[in-house]
Amino acid sequence: PSFKLREVASMYFTMIAVFLVILVVALQGSVPLGSDFPYKVPLDPQGLLELSWNVSYPEQAVHFQLLVKDLRSGLLFGMSDRGKFENADLAVLWSDGRNSYFGDAWSDAEGQLHMDSQQDYQLLGARKASEGLYLLFRRAFSTCDPKDYLIEDGTVHLIYGILEKPVHSLQDINISAIHRGLQRVQLLKPNIAVPELPSDMKTMEITAPDIVIPSNVTTYWCYMAELPDSFSKHHIIMDEPVITAGNEALVHHMEVFQCAAEFDSFPQYNGPCDSKMKPNRLNYCRHVLAAWAMGAQAFYYPEEAGLAFGGPGSSKYLRLEIHYHNPLVFRGRHDSSGIRLYYTATLRRYDAGIMELGLVYTPVMAIPPGEDDFVLTGYCTDKCTQLALPAAGIRIFASQLHTHLAGRKVVTVLSRDGKERQVVNADSHYSPHFQEIRMLKEVVAVFPGDELITTCTYNTEDRSTATVGGFGILEEMCVNYVHYYPQTQLELCKSAVDPGYLHRYFNLVNRFNDEEVCMCPQVSVPEQFFSIPWNTFNRDVLKSLYGFAPISVHCNKSSAVRFP
């Protein structure tokens, strides 16, 4: 009764038209070519839902192809800010037992579904095949509908739900009672031409040695590998995933790290990364050579640059790290996944480099508990780039954003002459569970005297004590690993608040609060943060401190020695 006439008409004609489209296309249509949808990801752990898509920047739209291998009475597919089914933007296919319907819907804060008065998920076709039902539909990036999700650069939280029984209307769907889940992807892939590969290119696979995936929801697996003896300097020019067939929904992300060159040897290891049996020396294998996350394709270096490995001053030891996400706790599943490196002995014009931007790993940068959007910023200052960068500058072509569990947004901007000029990389829906090296849509030129400012937004609503900066998973980081050329001596360009001014903050808190905060010299910075009563005054003063106090800048060479 509360629907307007035009909404009722929209729903009625959408249902009738879509039912006819499904019927006709199911009988007469043809499955689109796989090449029409270059990006693919399994939505559910069992692989029953498989999503493929392409991006049309001229149309400002995404075209989806959803393969449903075991269709019951319908499904829900859509997007939301953090992967929740409340306040979500959904396409719904459902059956009342006789007819099938498709519509654009949205859910309110209670999770109740409503037909959208503006139908922006446009059904293009459907077809039954031996492998299941193919649904084709289109969605514009921006629809000007306040109930719709704005598709933008960065991470997108895709959600899905499977309807087991027929329903008479959307209102009859109880989303809390259906099988549902989420998958994170980068929908808006950059439209970059694949560079030509050299004829002398070789490949090397760094893969797990037929391990049995542990029957845990989350496992990080570490495996040590070695380059051949007397392996001379080469350039990595491309890398891609190697996924064991059948495990596509379990292998969440992977990274290959090169170990520190100052150690002559590293012990062999093949086991969980958090095991007490893992040798401590493996913690010195942190130089990223390649990274992949679910939904990502092959990673290409620009034609004029390659990532150097092998030769003098380069360790032959590599560490493969695989994150398995096994929510259904499968047992006895074997896996030999990993990453395939493409490399050449014909060195390109430039060595590519990786530089760390953001905040120093230090407890002086902290987030109070109970915050929904606390902001911290790290600076690569003009003084540092003036000293460390060549006159012709550097070119950033890829970026990997990184925080720990409280991170929600990350952005790096380029500032020149005191004005923000360009966004290097931004993710407004960032998830610490989905980190990949992303090729930039356009190369960013950075010159001496420029500033690179990295800002992270955190949520600590589920925590009762302060979260300090550090290496632990319950501590926090704010980092952007930028991939660039030509390589320079500058490997780390970060900042933190001046420790002296933080000490003044602790003194102030101690003076203006009834509860005493211990200022004893032997008490560590984390302990002082943990003892603070987090009232509004203490929170606001800390925010002001981080916004206006002087900073300590780390402008470091690869040897960890600072530039003067």
Side-chain angles (χ1 to χ4, degrees), residues 121-265:
Y121 281 105
Q122 301 169 6
L123 186 70
L124 304 178
R127 182 182 186 274
K128 286 183 180 178
S130 58
E131 58 269 34
L133 174 70
Y134 285 91
L135 281 178
L136 276 71
F137 50 98
R138 176 187 183 276
R139 170 67 153 71
F141 297 171
S142 175
T143 64
C144 299
D145 182 348
K147 300 299 184 184
D148 283 355
Y149 180 92
L150 174 65
I151 301 176
E152 55 189 343
D153 291 333
T155 302
V156 176
H157 292 71
L158 301 177
I159 55 178
Y160 65 88
I162 298 174
L163 301 180
E164 301 284 351
K165 299 178 180 178
V167 291
H168 293 288
S169 70
L170 282 177
Q171 284 70 27
D172 292 337
I173 298 176
N174 180 4
I175 62 170
S176 64
I178 65 174
H179 172 67
R180 58 183 185 168
L182 75 94
Q183 184 63 277
R184 301 174 182 91
V185 300
Q186 180 197 19
L187 274 184
L188 301 189
K189 302 287 188 180
N191 188 16
I192 297 174
V194 175
E196 187 175 343
L197 299 175
S199 58
D200 67 341
M201 179 182 67
K202 297 180 180 180
T203 63
M204 175 188 302
E205 291 189 359
I206 313 297
T207 56
D210 190 31
I211 70 161
V212 177
I213 301 174
S215 54
N216 301 319
V217 173
T218 299
T219 298
Y220 282 84
W221 193 272
C222 284
Y223 169 67
M224 291 297 292
E226 294 183 31
L227 297 175
D229 291 331
S230 304
F231 188 77
S232 61
K233 180 179 178 179
H234 290 72
H235 270 166
I236 297 172
I237 55 176
M238 171 187 166
D239 60 69
E240 66 180 358
V242 179
I243 310 293
T244 298
N247 292 344
E248 292 86 355
L250 300 182
V251 180
H252 187 271
H253 71 259
M254 304 181 286
E255 290 185 277
V256 175
F257 300 91
Q258 189 169 34
C259 300
E262 61 256 34
F263 295 99
D264 293 330
S265 65

Side-chain angles (χ1 to χ4, degrees), residues 423-434:
V423 174
V424 178
N425 192 8
D427 195 338
S428 297
H429 305 279
Y430 173 85
S431 169
H433 304 293
F434 184 63

Side-chain angles (χ1 to χ4, degrees), residues 355-362 365 367 374-380 400-412 430 435 452-458 468-471 475-481 492-496:
M355 187 190 307
E356 287 189 39
L357 307 176
L359 287 172
V360 181
Y361 308 132
T362 170
M365 305 301 295
I367 306 128
F374 195 87
V375 174
L376 294 177
T377 299
Y379 299 88
C380 177
Q400 182 183 22
L401 306 174
H402 178 75
T403 75
H404 286 172
L405 300 180
R408 294 296 181 269
K409 298 179 183 180
V410 187
V411 60
T412 296
Y430 173 85
Q435 303 180 37
L452 292 162
I453 304 168
T454 301
T455 299
C456 295
T457 303
Y458 302 93
V468 299
F471 290 96
E475 297 172 329
E476 266 310 330
M477 293 184 173
C478 178
V479 186
N480 185 354
Y481 300 98
L492 184 149
C493 188
K494 304 162 86 172
S495 74

Side-chain angles (χ1 to χ4, degrees), residues 489-510:
Q489 286 189 302
L490 182 61
E491 190 164 283
L492 184 149
C493 188
K494 304 162 86 172
S495 74
V497 69
D498 183 280
Y501 280 79
L502 181 65
H503 188 73
R504 295 185 188 186
Y505 168 75
F506 289 138
N507 278 326
L508 183 69
V509 167
N510 200 29

Side-chain angles (χ1 to χ4, degrees), residues 399-475:
S399 162
Q400 182 183 22
L401 306 174
H402 178 75
T403 75
H404 286 172
L405 300 180
R408 294 296 181 269
K409 298 179 183 180
V410 187
V411 60
T412 296
V413 297
L414 169 70
S415 177
R416 183 175 298 147
D417 300 325
K419 296 180 180 179
E420 292 184 2
R421 302 285 183 173
Q422 189 174 0
V423 174
V424 178
N425 192 8
D427 195 338
S428 297
H429 305 279
Y430 173 85
S431 169
H433 304 293
F434 184 63
Q435 303 180 37
E436 59 181 352
I437 303 173
R438 291 176 179 166
M439 290 180 279
L440 304 184
K441 288 181 178 178
E442 57 183 44
V443 172
V444 177
V446 185
F447 296 100
D450 286 351
E451 290 183 277
L452 292 162
I453 304 168
T454 301
T455 299
C456 295
T457 303
Y458 302 93
N459 184 295
T460 57
E461 289 179 302
D462 60 344
R463 302 190 182 187
S464 56
T465 59
T467 301
V468 299
F471 290 96
I473 193 64
L474 293 178
E475 297 172 329

Side-chain angles (χ1 to χ4, degrees), residues 82-95:
R82 306 300 309 174
K84 294 183 178 181
F85 269 77
E86 294 77 25
N87 299 314
D89 177 16
L90 298 160
V92 185
L93 172 69
W94 79 96
S95 168

